[in-house]
Amino acid sequence: MLDYINFFLSAPKEYCVYSAWMLYAFWELYKVVPSIEINSELLDKMCRYYEFWEDTHRLKNGLFWSIDGYDAMEFSISGTPDKKHRIKGVRPTLNSYMCADAFAISEFAKIVGDLEISQKYLQKHEFLKKEINEKLWKDGFYRAFHYETIEELEALDTSNTSLVREEIGYIPWMFGIAPKEYNGVFDLLLDENVFACEYGITTADKSHPDFLYESTHECLWNGYVWPFATSQTLSALIYTIKNIKI
């Protein structure tokens, strides 16, 4: 695992194209296998990896933009509004991953003994946690807000966009980001009018008019059940039941 981490952290520009919660996953592993050596060189690589995403995907408002395809969730309802081309969005995906990764770096920095870095990344974590809950939670669910231009993403007008509920709205619970009072949305997983279907959990709200819209693209996240999304949602549910917080 350490070789795997070092490989991906060695050149983030080349290897880190798709969004992921890699550093937080490494932290979860370390809690089980604390014999893994954490040193200043590895910590520096983690910081450079995080800074790469900041340099390429952070907006002036402090949130991160991504495209559904590079979240491995292409041709969604919110991210492909005309059903033909994908547009950038401020999404629960990358923002939650960066929030979790900042927490992981803060914890690894404590192990190394670099309290300055630890505090710096803890502040990044707390900022994103606050912004996700204040900006991405709307009308009882975490939403993805997509716009054609960076300027629109910067302004983040959450009143003038599609309000589709998508399964990615459960991702903040994977990392203890969501407050306890939001937990009622898990009832929607059993609602046959929203996410429940015969074969699992749909990736989009069944009641939305664009649910299962027609497309020749091979990867549709407009309602079809995907194991990746299902694993994220079930992980979020498990963490919520266990009341795991970071």
Side-chain angles (χ1 to χ4, degrees):
M1 182 62 185
L2 191 56
D3 288 342
Y4 184 83
I5 288 291
N6 273 306
F7 174 78
F8 275 92
L9 296 183
S10 64
K13 183 178 180 180
E14 286 76 18
Y15 303 141
C16 301
V17 177
Y18 288 88
S19 64
W21 55 103
M22 183 167 60
L23 300 183
Y24 184 75
F26 184 37
W27 169 244
E28 291 281 271
L29 174 68
Y30 178 80
K31 288 191 294 183
V32 179
V33 190
S35 59
I36 297 174
E37 182 185 356
I38 307 299
N39 54 40
S40 297
E41 182 181 358
L42 182 58
L43 178 64
D44 185 56
K45 288 181 180 179
M46 293 181 192
C47 293
R48 289 203 304 269
Y49 167 84
Y50 196 95
E51 290 165 1
F52 165 77
W53 285 103
E54 288 183 317
D55 291 342
T56 57
H57 287 74
R58 188 174 62 178
L59 299 162
K60 291 178 181 178
N61 59 25
L63 289 165
F64 291 80
W65 66 265
S66 59
I67 296 173
D68 57 1
Y70 288 103
D71 282 336
M73 301 170 176
E74 55 263 50
F75 277 68
S76 62
I77 294 175
S78 64
T80 319
D82 63 359
K83 307 178 181 62
K84 294 180 181 179
H85 77 289
R86 299 189 289 269
I87 59 175
K88 296 175 180 177
V90 178
R91 299 163 52 80
T93 46
L94 182 58
N95 283 285
S96 294
Y97 304 159
M98 297 303 293
C99 182
D101 278 356
F103 175 84
I105 293 176
S106 178
E107 293 299 302
F108 282 126
K110 287 181 187 176
I111 294 168
V112 171
D114 193 329
L115 298 185
E116 182 178 349
I117 291 294
S118 179
Q119 184 60 28
K120 175 182 177 181
Y121 277 87
L122 181 60
Q123 289 174 355
K124 290 176 185 286
H125 161 73
E126 291 174 343
F127 170 81
L128 278 174
K129 186 173 183 177
K130 175 177 176 290
E131 291 297 294
I132 290 167
N133 286 321
E134 289 185 358
K135 304 290 176 58
L136 302 190
W137 180 263
K138 184 172 177 63
D139 294 341
F141 210 74
Y142 287 108
R143 315 277 182 164
F145 299 100
H146 288 259
Y147 297 97
E148 292 284 351
T149 67
I150 288 291
E151 288 74 22
E152 290 173 302
L153 288 170
E154 294 279 6
L156 198 61
D157 178 7
T158 60
S159 66
N160 185 27
T161 188
S162 169
L163 291 181
V164 58
R165 289 178 294 195
E166 295 171 298
E167 196 178 358
I168 60 173
Y170 288 104
I171 289 176
W173 277 273
M174 283 181 63
F175 310 107
I177 294 169
K180 184 169 58 176
E181 56 267 29
Y182 291 177
N183 291 355
V185 299
F186 283 99
D187 292 342
L188 299 175
L189 298 177
L190 301 176
D191 190 333
E192 294 182 354
N193 295 314
V194 187
F195 291 118
C197 75
E198 182 179 0
Y199 301 105
I201 304 168
T202 60
T203 49
D205 184 346
K206 294 166 68 176
S207 67
H208 194 276
D210 285 333
F211 180 77
L212 295 184
Y213 64 74
E214 291 187 14
S215 174
T216 57
H217 198 275
E218 66 274 15
C219 295
L220 297 174
W221 285 66
N222 60 355
Y224 293 98
V225 175
W226 281 88
F228 177 44
T230 300
S231 66
Q232 287 184 312
T233 301
L234 294 181
S235 293
L237 179 58
I238 291 168
Y239 293 170
T240 300
I241 292 171
K242 291 183 176 181
N243 196 30
I244 294 175
K245 295 291 180 182
I246 63 172

